[in-house]
Amino acid sequence: MYPHHSFESSASRHPTLRYWVAPRHLAGDDGLLADEVSTALTGLGWTNLTIVRGRRDPDQTEEDRQVLRSTVLHLSPSALAWAQWMLADEPLHIGELPVAWQVSARTHTTSALAEWNAYFTTGVPHEVLADFLLALDARPDPAVGFDGPGSVLDALAGQGWLRDIDHPETAVTDAGFVSGFTWCQLPPLIQDADPRPDTVGWQAWAEPTFGAPYLWCATFSASAPHDLVAAFASSLASPTPVLRRVLPETSVGRLTLSPAT
C-alpha cells in the first residue's frame, strides 16, 4: 500500500510514471475516459462524427472562438448502436455527477427511437466501459435481450461480490461495501422505449468515502439487455489491476498499488 502523498509527489516528478492499481472499481478513469473509449470504438470500426457550434467575432482568431456546443458521436457499423460523449452538451447528472457517455441501441436503422440507453458518469474506469462496448459490438442484435437479471448478480458474485442480505435477488456489493449494483426503480429522465413510469433497471456506483461525493455512477434503462450489463459488471469486479497515472483522492486509502515497469 502506498500513501496518497507519496503517489502524488512521485507523479509530479515523473509525469509518465504509472502504477498497477486494484481494485479497478475504485481506480477512477485516469482522466482518459473520452480518449480511451473513443480509441476503443475506432478500433471496432465505429464511425466518428463531430459537430461543433460556436461564435466568433470577425476580428477574433480561431483560438479565441467561443464554442457553444460540441457533440462527439460514434456509430456502430450496423448503425444499430451508438455512443455519445456528453460532457460538452450540458449532460444530465446522476448521483450529482455529470454523465460523460451515453450508449444506446435500436432495433432497426429506420427507427429514431432507442430501445434502451445506458449512462456513465465521469470516473467510470475506461477499461470497464470499453468491455461493455466490446460486448455490445459483438451482438448481432444489440437491442434485444434474453437473459434475466440473475446473470448480472451471478457475474458479480462469481468475482467475490456479496449479495445483499435483505435483497439477495436485486442487490450486490463489493467486499469493502463501497461499491454496489442494484435492480431498482430508476431516477427521472432515464430514457427507454418502455414508456411505463414504474419500470426498473440497473444502477451501479462507487462511494469510496462515506458521505463524500460518488466516484462514479452508471445507469442502465429498463430494456438494456442483462447480458450486456453483466459484461460491464464482470469487468468492473475483475481482480486484474489497471494502469493509472492519476488516482481519485477518495479511493487512495483503499487501493493497492504496484509501480509499472
Side-chain angles (χ1 to χ4, degrees):
M1 185 72 68
Y2 293 79
H4 188 196
H5 69 275
S6 297
F7 181 90
E8 284 192 327
S9 60
S10 297
S12 62
R13 291 195 302 269
H14 306 284
T16 60
L17 189 62
R18 296 189 296 175
Y19 291 80
W20 289 107
V21 178
R24 65 172 58 184
H25 62 92
L26 299 179
D29 61 19
D30 210 23
L32 299 174
L33 191 57
D35 294 340
E36 292 293 336
V37 172
S38 294
T39 298
L41 290 170
T42 299
L44 292 173
W46 289 40
T47 301
N48 303 336
L49 304 172
T50 303
I51 302 172
V52 178
R53 300 181 180 90
R55 182 175 64 236
R56 184 179 66 181
D57 295 333
D59 59 345
Q60 280 185 314
T61 64
E62 179 67 23
E63 291 76 14
D64 293 331
R65 184 181 66 169
Q66 181 183 359
V67 176
L68 301 180
R69 185 177 177 88
S70 175
T71 300
V72 180
L73 185 70
H74 302 260
L75 186 65
S76 70
S78 68
L80 294 177
W82 60 95
Q84 182 176 346
W85 176 251
M86 300 282 289
L87 277 185
D89 298 332
E90 299 181 2
L92 67 101
H93 286 66
I94 298 175
E96 298 186 358
L97 293 173
V99 171
W101 283 99
Q102 179 176 337
V103 180
S104 311
R106 57 187 175 180
T107 53
H108 305 287
T109 57
T110 56
S111 173
L113 178 66
E115 288 295 310
W116 60 265
N117 296 278
Y119 306 84
F120 307 91
T121 72
T122 54
V124 169
H126 55 79
E127 298 89 350
V128 178
L129 182 48
D131 285 342
F132 172 79
L133 291 164
L134 180 63
L136 173 62
D137 181 76
R139 264 174 147 265
D141 186 346
V144 179
F146 302 100
D147 292 345
S151 61
V152 179
L153 300 171
D154 290 343
L156 292 164
Q159 302 274 23
W161 285 39
L162 308 173
R163 292 178 184 265
D164 185 270
I165 295 177
D166 297 321
H167 307 283
E169 301 304 319
T170 57
V172 64
T173 185
D174 75 297
F177 299 99
V178 294
S179 295
F181 244 91
T182 183
W183 176 242
C184 61
Q185 189 167 349
L186 299 176
L189 303 180
I190 300 303
Q191 298 179 349
D192 191 88
D194 189 335
R196 292 176 297 174
D198 57 346
T199 56
V200 295
W202 287 105
Q203 289 200 87
W205 66 91
E207 187 183 13
T209 301
F210 180 76
Y214 289 109
L215 174 59
W216 58 264
C217 297
T219 300
F220 304 84
S221 74
S223 300
H226 294 293
D227 62 287
L228 291 179
V229 183
F232 177 88
S234 181
S235 179
L236 182 71
S238 170
T240 303
V242 292
L243 280 173
R244 289 293 182 269
R245 180 177 52 85
V246 179
L247 297 181
E249 291 185 5
T250 55
S251 294
V252 171
R254 297 182 177 273
L255 296 174
T256 299
L257 311 179
S258 299
T261 57

